[in-house]
Amino acid sequence: MSNSSELFARAQKRIPGGVNSPVRAFRAVGRTPFYTASAKGCRLHTVEGAELVDYVLAWGPAIFGHDDPEIRAAVQTAVLAGLGFGTNHAAELRMAELLHECLPLIDKVRMTNSGTEATMSAVRLARGYTERTKIVKFAGCFHGHADALLVRAGSGALTFGHPDSAGVTPAAAADTLILPYNDADALEAAFAGVGTEIAAVILEPFPGNVGLLLPRTGFLETLRRLCSHYGAILIFDEVMTGFRVSLCGTMGLHAVRPDLVCLGKIIGGGMPIGAFGGRADIMDMLAPLGPVYQSGTFCGHPLPLAAGIAAVEKLRRENPYPRLEQAGKTLAAAALDAAQHKGIPLQFHQCGGMFSFYFNANPVRNLADVMASDTAPFKKVFQYALDNGVFLPPSPYESAFLSTAHDTAAITQTAEVLANAIKTL
Ligand SMILES: *Cc1c(COP(=O)(O)O)cnc(C)c1O
């Protein structure tokens, strides 16, 4: 078989940038990306035969590690019943009931094919329900690549939409108001100004796409209070954090509840999926009951549902979160200890089955703080780790993920590699 650099050179001729999703090009870490031949447990096997302890985990879904036997068996059974029906089938109901049991605020739910579709549809639904146009998002929060959400303000100031990607028209982004995360005063000011025009506020309650940020005490509570007071729909995007930081996503760790929640990643058991759900009176605005349109040829496809149901049922049975948290703490301790010995400022954020770290002397609470962190050491740590059998996310702005397949041997190996990587800085 060809090696990774040959494959990547050929791929660049036929696939833009050689990749089907940009961060896979490894540009932020200055390396040629490797090609995976297979994945099992916490390990990836490259086409060269190298074995890597994986902290990307298919960008989050593989919470039991790769190729979990139970999930695989569920998919194999489902395949024998047919590769997709385009009609109703019982697994759709099972998933809807399961999600309601885990997150009771989900009175009703619709399945989609990706997280992007879920957030896009949730925003459309909120606009249809409220008959308002403006939405609020926070700088640094990522909600997939729908036009209205692909916007991030250049500054923390109250700025009306400046598109972040070429091809997003100013009109598509004009009704998107960008605020700094963790800034309750900015939130109060925005609502005082245009509160009655705001259809929805969408956020990752714990942003995971700028590394991992955690909310300051009271921030989410303020947000809930303002949304309720002004009649804006609060949407939690838990595509990443859902079933990752607890069985209830971030909602297992704080008391604030949204009107709608978006899910994805883990609930597909490794296959493509998304979902949005919440209050019945809002969800019933969707066609065929109401005027808000949303649909999809593959929505509720039996294979992702089979994988996802197996994954969610196994998570409920095993509650692996304390164990994942412990593994994360071991890695944090090793990294912080090495950094302290070297006199290198390091912030290590960790929650349930995810973590990230920043080379920054100050607390990291929002996008501006993230951008003030030093990226050069991250690049070196990434490269050292990869050369020593550990695959960290190939960007300082991606969260790393843990799985139940990361056993003591893998965590010990990683703790050592991380510490040694930091010692070489
Ligand atoms: C991954 C992600 C999305 C997009 O999901 P896709 O399935 O990649 O479309 C949306 N929101 C958050 C928070 C995510 O992490």
Side-chain angles (χ1 to χ4, degrees):
M1 202 191 291
S2 306
N3 67 27
S4 293
S5 34
E6 283 166 20
L7 288 168
F8 191 56
R10 276 169 55 201
Q12 284 170 284
K13 293 201 182 108
R14 293 284 167 250
I15 306 172
V19 293
N20 280 310
S21 197
V23 75
R24 296 181 202 164
F26 282 25
R27 293 211 164 191
V29 289
R31 279 287 271 262
T32 300
F34 63 82
Y35 276 66
T36 301
S38 66
K40 184 111 195 145
C42 72
R43 293 189 162 80
L44 290 179
H45 302 271
T46 70
V47 294
E48 285 83 9
E51 199 176 89
L52 302 170
V53 183
D54 183 13
Y55 290 91
V56 177
L57 294 176
W59 305 97
I63 193 161
F64 293 109
H66 297 283
D67 194 28
D68 177 75
E70 238 174 89
I71 297 174
R72 183 187 348 114
V75 174
Q76 282 168 335
T77 304
V79 163
L80 295 178
L83 283 183
F85 314 126
T87 69
N88 306 316
H89 60 102
E92 296 171 292
L93 176 59
R94 177 69 194 132
M95 181 59 112
E97 290 176 345
L98 199 52
L99 293 177
H100 171 74
E101 286 162 22
C102 293
L103 292 163
L105 75 99
I106 301 182
D107 296 328
K108 294 192 176 183
V109 67
R110 273 273 169 88
M111 304 309 298
T112 62
N113 303 299
S114 68
T116 294
E117 284 178 51
T119 57
M120 180 184 77
S121 304
V123 165
R124 181 186 305 143
L125 174 59
R127 283 174 162 158
Y129 179 85
T130 57
E131 298 181 342
R132 299 176 182 179
T133 52
K134 291 192 198 319
I135 55 171
V136 171
K137 83 172 277 294
F138 295 91
C141 278
F142 176 70
H143 304 295
H145 60 94
D147 281 4
L149 296 172
L150 203 56
V151 196
R152 231 165 258 236
S155 77
L158 202 76
T159 322
F160 270 100
H162 283 290
D164 198 33
S165 161
V168 174
T169 63
D175 291 317
T176 306
L177 176 62
I178 307 290
L179 296 177
Y181 178 74
N182 259 338
D183 186 339
D185 293 341
L187 209 50
E188 299 266 12
F191 270 94
V194 292
T196 55
E197 297 166 51
I198 296 172
V201 177
I202 185 167
L203 85 163
E204 303 177 72
F206 298 5
N209 284 285
V210 281
L212 171 64
L213 302 180
L214 298 169
R216 299 177 90 141
T217 310
F219 176 68
L220 295 174
E221 288 76 4
T222 301
L223 180 55
R224 177 67 270 181
R225 177 174 52 75
L226 289 168
C227 285
S228 298
H229 181 74
Y230 286 93
I233 304 301
L234 179 56
I235 306 171
F236 277 3
D237 178 354
E238 300 236 20
V239 170
M240 179 183 287
T241 48
F243 296 96
R244 167 122 320 265
V245 298
S246 89
L247 212 45
C248 308
T250 72
M251 290 177 268
L253 305 167
H254 61 77
V256 178
R257 295 296 173 262
D259 302 298
L260 296 175
V261 60
C262 300
L263 297 166
K265 295 194 169 114
I266 286 176
I267 63 159
M271 299 188 78
I273 208 160
F276 65 105
R279 269 168 50 190
D281 62 321
I282 305 176
M283 293 301 288
D284 284 347
M285 290 294 280
L286 288 170
L289 295 179
V292 180
Y293 196 71
Q294 178 268 336
S295 71
T297 303
F298 296 117
C299 290
H301 193 280
L303 298 189
L305 280 179
I309 290 165
V312 172
E313 284 178 337
K314 186 168 170 161
L315 286 167
R316 285 180 94 190
R317 222 170 44 240
E318 296 190 357
N319 185 25
Y321 304 99
R323 208 179 118 203
L324 298 177
E325 180 94 22
Q326 201 46 52
K329 285 205 162 82
T330 303
L331 298 182
L336 288 168
D337 190 55
Q340 199 186 0
H341 270 90
K342 282 285 283 190
I344 294 171
L346 184 73
Q347 308 290 330
F348 202 106
H349 292 184
Q350 187 248 322
C351 182
M354 59 196 287
F355 67 87
S356 73
F357 51 90
Y358 306 90
F359 291 92
N360 194 323
N362 302 308
V364 177
R365 297 204 177 103
N366 58 31
L367 180 64
D369 299 338
V370 171
M371 300 314 283
S373 307
D374 193 359
T375 55
F378 179 89
K379 200 163 151 175
K380 284 189 192 149
V381 168
F382 171 87
Q383 298 195 352
Y384 181 96
L386 190 60
D387 291 336
N388 288 277
V390 172
F391 178 39
L392 294 172
S395 156
Y397 309 123
E398 300 286 346
S399 289
F401 300 113
L402 289 153
S403 78
T404 58
H406 286 77
D407 54 14
T408 310
I411 295 296
T412 308
Q413 178 192 344
T414 305
E416 220 173 275
V417 167
L418 261 186
N420 288 337
I422 291 166
K423 283 178 198 153
T424 64
L425 293 175

